[in-house]
C-alpha cells in the first residue's frame, strides 16, 4: 500500500493519521445518505411478491456480516406497495447498519436484489458516481471495520452510528493490489464455506436410506471421501515443513526435503550440513531474485557491483557473504522508494529486515564459516547445534514465506494472438521438491517473453525475467533439470547448480552477464 494510502483508511479527528491529497470523505463520494424507510405497524400496503409496484423490504437481518444480502424468501419476506419512490434502492447503493453490535454490516445492492427498500436501522449511501469494483471492495471492507464500529454511540447495548460521523469518515484510496488480495481471500473463504456445507449435508444424510448402520457407514465413507481428502490436505498446510516442501521454489524445497529426511533418520552430521546448505541456498535464491528484479527496475545495487569485482578479479565466486550483502542493501527503504507498493522487492527487503532474522542469519553464517575452516562441532554438542541451527533456518524460511506466492516458472513456448492482444504461454511451475512437473498455460499481455528462460510470477501474474542471474537447464553432470547461477572456479567463469553444486563452463551467458553488470 502506498504511503498516501496506508493511513487514509481511517476516520476524521484523532483516529486519522494522514489526510490524502483528494477528498475521500463519505460525503464527497456519496451524494445521498439517508435512513431506511420507517414502516408503520399497519399492514396497509402489504402484498404478494410480483404485485405491480411492490417493493421487498430489507431489514438489518437481511444483511450478512460478509457483505451479502439475503436472497428473496417468499415465506419470510414482506412486500409493500406504499413505499415512497425516494426510498426505492438502486443498484450500486451501499447499505450500512446504523445499529452496531461489534463490527458494522455493509453491503452493496445488486440488480438481483431489486426492487427493494431498506427499513429502519439501515443507512443508505448512494455513490455520486460509479466506483470501480476494486475501489468499492475496499470501501465496503472499511465500513465493516472495527474502526467504524468504534464510533457507534449509545447505552444498554444499543449503539448507533450518527449520520454526521459517517459523513466525516475518510475512505481508503483505490488500491488495485489490496483489492485483489481481499478478493482472493473472499474467494477462498467462500470455497471453504461450500466444502463445509457439503460435509454437513453428507453427515445429515446418514440414515436417509434406512437404519442399517453398516450400510450407512459404508455410504458415508464412499460419499465423504473427497471431503476427507480436502480436510487432510488443508490440515497439512498448518505444517510449515509441508508448505516449504511443496509450495516453495524448487531449489529451496529440494534442499529442505533433504534436511527433513536427514533429521528424521537421526543422521546428525549430514543433517547439520544439510541445514547450513539449505540456509545458504535460501539466501542465495532470494539474493538472485533481488538482483534480477533490481536490474529490471533500474535500481543499482552496490553489492552486485562488488560481486562483479570479485568475479572479474578471479577471487572466487559468490558465497553467503555476497548473498547477505545484496539482501541487506535492498532492505533499506531508500532503494525501493520509486517502486509501486506491490513490487516484490518490498517483501524481499523485509527478509533480513528485523533483528531476529539478522541474528539468525549471523549465527548460521558463523556455523558455516566454522565448517569451512575445519572447526567442526564436537559430537557431544552436535544434537543441540543441529536443533539450534534448524530453528534459525526455520525462522528465516518463515520470513521468506512470500516465496510460496511467487511461482518460479520456465516458459516453454509463446504463441501470440494479435486479435486478442495476448500471448498464450506454455509454462512449467517449478514449485515443490521435484523438477518433473506438468506443463500448464497462462495468458500474458505481451509477446516479449523468452522461450526457455526462468521468470518470477508475482501474485498479480506479472512476469519478471530472471536470466542471466538465474537460469534453468539439464545438468551435464547428473542429467537432472537444475537451476544455475554465475560462479568462478579455478579462474574460470562457470554456471553452478543451486540444487547439488555441480558446475560447468559458462559460454553462452557471458554477454548477458556483462550487460547486467555481473562480469
Amino acid at each position: 500500500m502506498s504511503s498516501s494510502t496506508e493511513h487514509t483508511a481511517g476516520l476524521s479527528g484523532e483516529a486519522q493519521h494522514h489526510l490524502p491529497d483528494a477528498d475521500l470523505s463519505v460525503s464527497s463520494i456519496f451524494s445521498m445518505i439517508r435512513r431506511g424507510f420507517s414502516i408503520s405497524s399497519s399492514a396497509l400496503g402489504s402484498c404478494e411478491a410480483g404485485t405491480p409496484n411492490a417493493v421487498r423490504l430489507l431489514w438489518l437481518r437481511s444483511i450478512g456480516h460478509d457483505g451479502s444480502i439475503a436472497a428473496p424468501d417468499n415465506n419470510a419476506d414482506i412486500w409493500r406497495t406504499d413505499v415512497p419512490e425516494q426510498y426505492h434502492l438502486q443498484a450500486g447503493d451501499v447499505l450500512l447498519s446504523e445499529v452496531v453490535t461489534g463490527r458494522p454490516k455493509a453491503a452493496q445492492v445488486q440488480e438481483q436484489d431489486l426492487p427493494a427498500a431498506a427499513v429502519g436501522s439501515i443507512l443508505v449511501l448512494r455513490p455520486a458516481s460509479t466506483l470501480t469494483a476494486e475501489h468499492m471492495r475496499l470501501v465496503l471492507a472499511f465500513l465493516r471495520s472495527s474502526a467504524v464500529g468504534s464510533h457507534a454511540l449509545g447505552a444498554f447495548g444499543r449503539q448507533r452510528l450518527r449520520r454526521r460521523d459517517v459523513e466525516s469518515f475518510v475512505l481508503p484510496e483505490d488500491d488495485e493490489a489490496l483489492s485483489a488480495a481481499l478478493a482472493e481471500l473472499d474467494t477462498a473463504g467462500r470455497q471453504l464455506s461450500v466444502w463445509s456445507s457439503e460435509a454437513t449435508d453428507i453427515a445429515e444424510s446418514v440414515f436417509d436410506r434406512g437404519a442399517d448402520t453398516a450400510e450407512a457407514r459404508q455410504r458415508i465413507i464412499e460419499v465423504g471421501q473427497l471431503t476427507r481428502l480436502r480436510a487432510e490436505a488443508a490440515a497439512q498446510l498448518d505444517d510449515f515443513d509441508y508448505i516449504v516442501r511443496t509450495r516453495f521454489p524448487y531449489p529451496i524445497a529440494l534442499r529442505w526435503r533433504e534436511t527433513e529426511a536427514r533429521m528424521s533418520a537421526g543422521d546428525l552430521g549430514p543433517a547439520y550440513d544439510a541445514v547450513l546448505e539449505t540456509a545458504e541456498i535460501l539466501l542465495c535464491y532470494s539474493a538472485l531474485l533481488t538482483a534480477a528484479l533490481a536490474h529490471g527496475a533500474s535500481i543499482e545495487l552496490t553489492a552486485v557491483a562488488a560481486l562483479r569485482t570479485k568475479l572479474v578479479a578471479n577471487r572466487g565466486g559468490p558465497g553467503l557473504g555476497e548473498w547477505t550483502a545484496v539482501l541487506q542493501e535492498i532492505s533499506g527503504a531508500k532503494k525501493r522508494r520509486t517502486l509501486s507498493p506491490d513490487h516484490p522487492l518490498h517483501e524481499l527487503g523485509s527478509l533480513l529486515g528485523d533483528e531476529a532474522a539478522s541474528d539468525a542469519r549471523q549465527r548460521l553464517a558463523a556455523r558455516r564459516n566454522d565448517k569451512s575452516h575445519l572447526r567442526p562441532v564436537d559430537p557431544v554438542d552436535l544434537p543441540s547445534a543441529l536443533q539450534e541451527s534448524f530453528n534459525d533456518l526455520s525462522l528465516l524460511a518463515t520470513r521468506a514465506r512470500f516465496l510460496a506466492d511467487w511461482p518460479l516458472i520456465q516458459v516453454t513456448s509463446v504463441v501470440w494472438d494479435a486479435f486478442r492482444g495476448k500471448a498464450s504461454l506454455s509454462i512449467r511451475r517449478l514449485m515443490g521438491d521435484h523438477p518433473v512437473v506438468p506443463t500448464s498455460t497462462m495468458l500474458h499481455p505481451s509477446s516479449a517473453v523468452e522461450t526457455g528462460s526462468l521468470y518470477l510470477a508475482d501474485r498479480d501474474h506479472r512476469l519478471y525475467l530472471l536470466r542471466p542471474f538465474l537460469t534453468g537447464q539439464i545438468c551435464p553432470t547428473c542429467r537432472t533439470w537444475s537451476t544455475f547461477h554465475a560462479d568462478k572456479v579455478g579462474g574460470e567463469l562457470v554456471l553452478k547448480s543451486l540444487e547439488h553444486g555441480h558446475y560447468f563452463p559458462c559460454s553462452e551467458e557471458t554477454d548477458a552477464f556483462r550487460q547486467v553488470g555481473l562480469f
Side-chain angles (χ1 to χ4, degrees), residues 328-392:
Q328 288 178 330
E329 186 172 358
I330 203 62
S331 67
K334 185 177 180 180
K335 288 288 184 180
R336 297 178 276 112
R337 67 183 184 278
T338 60
L339 299 174
S340 61
D342 56 341
H343 196 284
L345 279 175
H346 292 300
E347 288 178 272
L348 284 163
S350 70
L351 179 54
L352 299 180
D354 62 54
E355 186 176 355
S358 180
D359 289 346
R361 196 276 311 166
Q362 290 180 32
R363 288 190 294 268
L364 288 166
R367 293 182 184 277
R368 184 75 164 149
N369 289 337
D370 286 343
K371 180 178 180 296
S372 300
H373 292 87
L374 303 179
R375 294 190 292 266
V377 178
D378 188 282
V380 175
D381 300 324
L382 193 53
S384 60
L386 172 59
Q387 188 59 55
E388 290 167 5
S389 60
F390 182 73
N391 290 343
D392 285 336

Side-chain angles (χ1 to χ4, degrees), residues 193-497:
S193 179
V194 169
W195 290 345
S196 176
S197 297
E198 288 181 5
T200 300
D201 292 343
I202 292 172
E204 290 177 348
S205 68
V206 60
F207 289 120
D208 284 356
R209 298 182 184 179
D212 187 327
T213 57
E215 180 184 351
R217 176 181 178 275
Q218 185 60 32
R219 187 169 65 253
I220 291 297
I221 290 175
E222 293 174 355
V223 176
Q225 182 184 42
L226 181 58
T227 299
R228 295 195 311 275
L229 291 175
R230 285 169 177 163
E232 290 172 7
Q236 286 183 306
L237 292 176
D238 288 330
D239 179 0
F240 185 66
D241 290 336
Y242 177 82
I243 294 176
V244 179
R245 196 171 62 252
T246 61
R247 305 297 298 175
F248 268 47
Y250 170 60
I252 302 170
L254 179 65
R255 293 281 187 167
W256 191 277
R257 182 182 70 172
E258 182 179 358
T259 297
E260 273 194 305
R262 297 288 188 184
M263 292 182 67
S264 65
D267 298 333
L268 299 185
Y272 181 72
D273 293 344
V275 167
L276 300 183
E277 291 169 4
T278 303
E280 182 165 352
I281 294 306
L282 171 63
L283 297 179
C284 169
Y285 180 84
S286 300
L288 290 170
L289 290 190
T290 299
L293 269 59
H295 175 75
S298 300
I299 297 175
E300 293 187 5
L301 296 179
T302 304
V304 174
L307 175 56
R308 175 186 180 276
T309 300
K310 186 174 183 180
L311 288 172
V312 171
N314 292 327
R315 289 191 287 134
L320 194 55
E322 284 73 31
W323 307 135
T324 299
V326 171
L327 294 170
Q328 288 178 330
E329 186 172 358
I330 203 62
S331 67
K334 185 177 180 180
K335 288 288 184 180
R336 297 178 276 112
R337 67 183 184 278
T338 60
L339 299 174
S340 61
D342 56 341
H343 196 284
L345 279 175
H346 292 300
E347 288 178 272
L348 284 163
S350 70
L351 179 54
L352 299 180
D354 62 54
E355 186 176 355
S358 180
D359 289 346
R361 196 276 311 166
Q362 290 180 32
R363 288 190 294 268
L364 288 166
R367 293 182 184 277
R368 184 75 164 149
N369 289 337
D370 286 343
K371 180 178 180 296
S372 300
H373 292 87
L374 303 179
R375 294 190 292 266
V377 178
D378 188 282
V380 175
D381 300 324
L382 193 53
S384 60
L386 172 59
Q387 188 59 55
E388 290 167 5
S389 60
F390 182 73
N391 290 343
D392 285 336
L393 170 62
S394 297
L395 188 149
L396 292 181
T398 301
R399 295 290 193 275
R401 188 189 290 261
F402 51 80
L403 294 176
D405 288 339
W406 300 345
L408 172 65
I409 69 171
Q410 181 186 38
V411 177
T412 57
S413 72
V414 180
V415 179
W416 175 251
D417 187 329
F419 292 100
R420 299 175 66 188
K422 292 183 178 180
S424 177
L425 310 182
S426 294
I427 63 172
R428 299 173 63 235
R429 296 170 60 94
L430 297 158
M431 305 296 281
D433 59 13
H434 203 286
V436 179
V437 294
T439 297
S440 58
T441 60
M442 68 176 290
L443 295 178
H444 188 62
S446 170
S447 61
V449 181
E450 297 181 357
T451 300
S453 290
L454 295 181
Y455 285 83
L456 171 74
D458 69 8
R459 295 182 182 89
D460 296 316
H461 311 296
R462 289 180 290 243
L463 300 183
Y464 301 85
L465 178 64
L466 301 182
R467 190 179 72 89
F469 297 93
L470 188 67
T471 59
Q473 66 176 77
I474 299 294
C475 175
T477 301
C478 64
R479 307 299 178 183
T480 302
W481 191 95
S482 310
T483 56
F484 295 87
H485 69 87
D487 201 353
K488 206 69 173 289
V489 176
E492 182 180 19
L493 186 65
V494 301
L495 290 178
K496 179 181 176 181
S497 169

Side-chain angles (χ1 to χ4, degrees), residues 165 176 211 472:
D165 287 335
E176 185 177 346

